């Protein structure tokens, strides 16, 4: 389709875009004095905001043809960083924030010096998992020239985005933040990409960067054993036909992910149920809910995403809620990216970079207002911070509006914890769906499952045909389903069961040399999943650095010492101890 880029088109683009990001991009490429004179976008008066819009339209119409992509100097970046968010950039934050901007190629990944020794032919690395983490690690190894193979138990790439194909599955962070920064902007169809589009993106990246042909599908790692004599890992895989495959490698990168092991509650009587019981990871085209009686157990991200599309077809839906969640609106959630905005990504140098910056860094700093208690505010009788209380009031008002003021629902929907101390859930019409005639909210605990339905603790029995356990994942099963045995035969799962899962930088464990864990213990960003692929690149870069140290310095193994491991985790505990979600301040 040919776009007619006239003045009306450009106006629609500016009015729909991230105006702070567009201003930064235009200021970078034009140095326009009028743009520079205006303050941060978030604090502009209506008349100044209109001036900014008019000036941006003018520059896009008259100066865009002169603009060429370029890498700005550090001095320029410092000024623009401060202007785009309206707050000074701390000196210690500049270098990492510069990488998030991604003006230079392959930020975060490790680059090897050209005069290093050749990489031995038998220096092979196994990557376990072909999701976002695995592909990121593979791109790093590809750039270093390290031999590698990716093994995945599924028959396609995507990881959790291949496992989860339930109705309306999608990311709950902006698509532009849910992509690798080593590639130019991806033409996402929606502001919050569907699960299918994310899986397509992962496959596209795997093929574009030459790693797809390194993948062996339908290989499930069962056991990994460290061979102390040779400093190698022996891997044993199972395949769908019942056969097994063994292979020995120098190092292992576990990219199994957090969201691959379904958590299914152990409820008495489940084996007697005559209908269908499934976890959302088991959803497929054969699941038919039309005119059926459905039970959705859980109100986390998955349960919330499921309700509206299921309720639209089902005869009845019972929503079993154990704990209320803060379920909040998100601007542009479920909306397609306008052609006008896509045109800005395609034609305005730097707009993609600054959009990522405002979205990622803006959320990082925003979260601090809810997680770090303000002692002065608390001394005046406040709770956590002023913004925390303001957000709570806003969300309570949002709940009231969405359910039409129904007190019978409202009393069960307000959480007893402060906003943001747990990962927030994005609303896709969940509250409104609760008001549908065929939907009922159940807050009594489930006592047992019968042949025909679910009985709750108050003695009520509800007949259903389908039970969906939207109850999340075993997020502490970091290496599932494989068993790892390190030095002296120590079993990693047993170690973690005894001590709680811990790792150095979330990635390395003492006595498990040459093993790297992507998305390991305590590596979930405090700000939720925003820009998770960027963190995967950071982890990948660290892995590349460690592996190249082995090659360049002629070592056989790399491992974290017990002293460094303990010191890291003690400092981690101390740093986290004051956060609202760690202390009892998270409760209200």
């Amino acid at each position: 389709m040919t776009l007619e880029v006239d003045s009306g088109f450009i106006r629609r683009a500016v009015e729909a875009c991230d105006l702070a990001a567009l201003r930064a991009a235009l200021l970078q490429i034009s140095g326009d004095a009028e743009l520079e004179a205006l303050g941060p976008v978030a604090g502009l008066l209506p008349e100044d905001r209109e001036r900014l819009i008019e000036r941006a339209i003018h520059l896009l119409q008259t100066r865009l043809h002169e603009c060429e992509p370029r890498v700005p100097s550090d001095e320029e970046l410092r000024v623009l960083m401060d202007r785009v968010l309206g707050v000074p950039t701390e000196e210690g934050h500049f270098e990492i924030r510069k990488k998030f901007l991604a003006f230079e190629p392959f930020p975060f990944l490790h680059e090897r010096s050209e005069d290093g020794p050749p990489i031995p032919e038998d220096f092979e690395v196994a990557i376990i998992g072909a999701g976002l983490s695995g592909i990121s690690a593979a791109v790093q190894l590809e750039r270093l020239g390290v031999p590698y193979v990716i093994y995945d138990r599924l028959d396609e790439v995507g990881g959790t985005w291949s496992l989860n194909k339930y109705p309306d599955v999608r990311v709950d962070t902006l698509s532009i933040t849910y992509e690798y920064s080593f590639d130019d902007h991806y033409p996402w169809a929606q502001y919050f990409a569907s699960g299918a589009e994310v899986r397509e993106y992962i496959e596209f990246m795997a093929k574009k960067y030459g790693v797809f042909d390194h993948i062996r599908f339908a290989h499930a790692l069962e056991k990994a054993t460290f061979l102390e004599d040779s400093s190698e890992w022996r891997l044993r895989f199972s395949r769908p036909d019942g056969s097994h495959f063994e292979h020995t490698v120098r190092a292992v990168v576990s990219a199994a992910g957090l969201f691959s092991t379904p958590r299914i509650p152990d409820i008495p009587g489940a084996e007697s149920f005559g209908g269908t019981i499934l976890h959302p990871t088991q959803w497929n085209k054969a699941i038919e809910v039309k005119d059926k009686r459905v039970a959705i157990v859980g109100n986390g991200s998955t349960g919330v995403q499921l309700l509206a599309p299921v309720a639209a077809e089902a005869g009845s839906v019972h929503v079993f809620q154990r704990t209320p969640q803060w379920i909040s609106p998100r601007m542009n959630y479920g909306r397609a990216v306008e052609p006008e905005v896509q045109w800005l990504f395609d034609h305005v140098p730097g707009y993609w970079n600054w959009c990522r910056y405002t979205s990622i860094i803006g959320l990082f700093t925003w979260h601090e207002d809810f997680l770090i208690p303000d002692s002065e505010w608390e001394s005046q009788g406040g709770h956590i911070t002023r913004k925390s209380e303001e957000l709570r009031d806003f969300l309570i008002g949002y709940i009231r509006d969405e359910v039409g003021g129904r007190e019978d629902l409202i009393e069960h929907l307000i959480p007893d914890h402060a906003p943001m101390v747990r990962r927030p859930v994005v609303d896709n019409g969940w509250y409104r769906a609760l008001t549908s005639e065929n939907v009922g909210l159940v807050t009594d605990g489930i006592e047992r499952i019968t042949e025909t339905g679910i009985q709750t603790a108050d003695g009520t029995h509800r007949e259903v045909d389908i039970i969906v356990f939207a109850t999340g994942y075993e997020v502490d099963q970091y290496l599932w389903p494989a068993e790892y045995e390190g030095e002296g035969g120590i079993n990693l799962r047993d170690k973690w069961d005894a001590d709680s899962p811990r790792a150095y930088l979330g990635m390395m464990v003492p006595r498990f040399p040459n093993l790297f864990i992507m998305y390991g213990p305590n590596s979930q960003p405090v700000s939720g999943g925003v820009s998770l692929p960027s963190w995967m690149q950071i982890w990948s870069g660290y892995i590349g650095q460690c592996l190249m140290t082995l090659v360049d310095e002629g070592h056989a193994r790399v491992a974290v010492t017990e002293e460094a491991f303990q010191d890291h985790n003690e400092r981690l505990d101390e740093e986290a101890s004051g956060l609202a979600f760690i202390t009892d301040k998270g409760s209200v």
Side-chain angles (χ1 to χ4, degrees):
M1 180 180 67
T2 303
L3 296 175
E4 183 179 348
V5 183
D6 55 17
S7 59
F9 180 96
I10 292 177
R11 177 173 291 277
R12 292 194 299 273
V14 174
E15 291 178 345
C17 78
D18 180 336
L19 194 55
L22 181 62
R23 176 186 181 235
L26 290 175
L27 188 56
Q28 176 184 315
I29 60 183
S30 71
D32 183 76
E34 188 170 340
L35 284 182
E36 191 167 8
L38 291 166
V41 171
L44 289 179
L45 296 172
E47 56 269 26
D48 289 332
R49 184 180 182 87
E50 188 57 34
R51 280 179 55 206
L52 173 57
I53 289 173
E54 294 299 332
R55 191 60 183 169
I57 292 171
H58 173 75
L59 292 171
L60 290 172
Q61 289 177 319
T62 61
R63 299 282 303 277
L64 189 57
H65 66 283
E66 305 171 5
C67 302
E68 295 291 336
R70 67 181 180 86
V71 177
S73 68
D74 284 0
E75 289 71 25
E76 289 178 276
L77 285 180
R78 290 178 190 276
V79 171
L80 289 169
M81 283 179 182
D82 292 353
R83 289 184 180 279
V84 76
L85 294 182
V87 293
T89 302
E90 294 182 28
E91 183 61 34
H93 292 171
F94 175 74
E95 287 299 328
I96 186 69
R97 292 188 177 186
K98 175 182 172 182
K99 291 182 184 297
F100 277 106
L101 268 167
F103 280 110
E104 297 177 343
F106 296 95
F108 304 119
L109 298 188
H110 180 63
E111 298 293 336
R112 190 188 186 206
S113 62
E114 296 181 358
D115 57 355
I119 297 173
E121 292 184 3
D122 63 349
F123 193 92
E124 183 179 313
V125 177
I127 299 173
I128 310 303
L132 277 167
S133 288
I135 300 305
S136 173
V139 170
Q140 170 68 94
L141 299 185
E142 187 77 21
R143 287 192 57 78
L144 293 173
V146 174
Y148 67 94
V149 178
I150 306 172
Y151 298 93
D152 199 288
R153 60 193 174 95
L154 303 178
D155 57 6
E156 63 180 12
V157 302
T160 191
W161 299 106
S162 177
L163 281 172
N164 287 283
K165 296 177 180 176
Y166 59 83
D168 205 36
V169 56
R170 66 180 61 245
V171 296
D172 57 7
T173 60
L174 283 165
S175 304
I176 195 173
T177 72
Y178 205 79
E179 61 184 5
Y180 302 124
S181 56
F182 54 68
D183 194 77
D184 199 0
H185 73 280
Y186 185 77
W188 296 104
Q190 299 184 51
Y191 283 99
F192 293 80
S194 68
E197 190 177 13
V198 176
R199 203 212 67 79
E200 290 169 3
Y201 168 77
I202 297 170
E203 182 170 331
F204 176 83
M205 289 293 118
K207 291 179 176 178
K208 180 174 181 177
Y209 287 92
V211 307
F212 189 83
D213 291 340
H214 292 251
I215 304 173
R216 288 194 181 186
F217 295 110
H219 278 66
L221 180 63
E222 291 183 335
K223 189 174 184 179
T225 304
F226 186 69
L227 307 176
E228 298 189 52
D229 291 342
S230 61
S231 297
E232 296 175 305
W233 283 93
R234 184 176 65 236
L235 310 178
R236 176 181 169 87
F237 299 90
S238 62
R239 296 183 282 210
D241 62 2
S243 63
H244 288 83
F245 167 74
E246 290 196 358
H247 190 53
T248 301
V249 296
R250 175 63 61 187
V252 178
V253 177
S254 174
L258 289 186
F259 307 109
S260 59
T261 309
R263 174 184 291 149
I264 300 178
D266 183 14
I267 299 176
E271 70 285 350
S272 68
F273 184 61
T276 300
I277 295 180
L278 73 155
H279 188 273
T281 55
Q282 299 167 311
W283 202 287
N284 56 59
K285 294 179 180 178
I287 304 299
E288 178 57 66
V289 299
K290 186 173 178 58
D291 298 328
K292 296 291 181 66
R293 299 167 298 180
V294 181
I296 298 177
V297 182
N299 63 328
S301 294
T302 300
V304 167
Q305 289 178 341
L306 269 171
L307 178 57
V310 169
E313 295 190 21
S316 64
V317 182
H318 298 290
V319 178
F320 289 82
Q321 171 190 276
R322 184 178 65 176
T323 305
Q325 307 267 16
W326 290 116
I327 301 171
S328 60
R330 194 71 58 90
M331 188 173 69
N332 290 328
Y333 190 78
R335 284 187 58 197
V337 177
E338 299 88 344
E340 294 87 345
V341 172
Q342 192 63 59
W343 178 82
L344 292 176
F345 285 125
D346 293 339
H347 293 89
V348 180
Y351 178 64
W352 171 76
N353 308 76
W354 287 108
C355 266
R356 284 175 52 82
Y357 190 83
T358 59
S359 300
I360 295 169
I361 305 303
L363 272 177
F364 284 164
T365 55
W366 184 75
H367 274 74
E368 293 178 359
D369 292 329
F370 303 96
L371 299 180
I372 302 177
D374 180 347
S375 57
E376 183 176 346
W377 174 250
E378 290 183 327
S379 69
Q380 299 170 16
H383 186 241
I384 303 180
T385 66
R386 179 190 297 273
K387 287 189 177 180
S388 177
E389 292 198 28
E390 290 175 347
L391 179 59
R392 186 174 190 274
D393 290 342
F394 166 79
L395 291 175
I396 291 175
Y398 176 74
I399 293 171
R400 292 186 181 280
D401 290 344
E402 290 294 293
V403 301
R406 284 182 50 181
E407 293 297 335
D408 61 313
L409 289 174
I410 294 169
E411 65 175 317
H412 296 295
L413 296 176
I414 298 176
D416 61 2
H417 59 272
M420 309 308 297
V421 300
R422 300 178 188 173
R423 178 169 176 147
V425 178
V426 179
D427 186 23
N428 71 333
W430 189 79
Y431 288 123
R432 291 187 184 182
L434 291 178
T435 67
S436 301
E437 291 184 1
N438 66 331
V439 176
L441 178 67
V442 183
T443 57
D444 293 299
I446 297 175
E447 185 176 79
R448 65 189 180 95
I449 295 174
T450 69
E451 292 182 8
T452 58
I454 297 177
Q455 181 171 313
T456 48
D458 65 345
T460 303
H461 183 268
R462 296 170 177 85
E463 294 194 351
V464 296
D465 306 302
I466 301 172
I467 300 174
V468 183
F469 281 126
T471 45
Y473 304 86
E474 300 288 354
V475 293
D476 57 352
Q477 298 297 316
Y478 296 96
L479 304 170
W480 186 91
E483 298 283 346
Y484 284 78
E485 289 186 356
E487 294 174 339
I490 183 174
N491 183 285
L492 185 52
R493 187 176 300 178
D494 292 345
K495 174 180 174 61
W496 278 346
D497 285 346
D499 303 335
S500 83
R502 292 273 188 167
Y504 175 72
L505 302 178
M507 301 180 70
M508 303 176 73
V509 181
R511 300 179 65 185
F512 289 85
N514 301 0
L515 171 63
F516 305 93
I517 306 164
M518 303 277 280
Y519 216 166
N522 294 312
S523 57
Q524 171 68 44
V526 171
S527 56
V530 63
S531 195
L532 192 54
S534 291
W535 290 102
M536 293 168 179
Q537 291 167 91
I538 293 171
W539 303 330
S540 298
Y542 181 76
I543 292 169
Q545 185 179 3
C546 287
L547 292 177
M548 288 304 92
T549 300
L550 286 182
V551 172
D552 294 344
E553 299 183 8
H555 300 296
R557 63 179 73 174
V558 57
V560 61
T561 65
E562 187 68 36
E563 181 182 10
F565 170 84
Q566 294 293 349
D567 178 67
H568 168 76
N569 282 289
E570 287 171 6
R571 288 187 291 114
L572 182 70
D573 289 343
E574 181 179 358
E575 187 74 18
S577 63
L579 297 177
F581 63 83
I582 297 293
T583 69
D584 58 6
K585 292 181 180 180
S587 301
V588 294

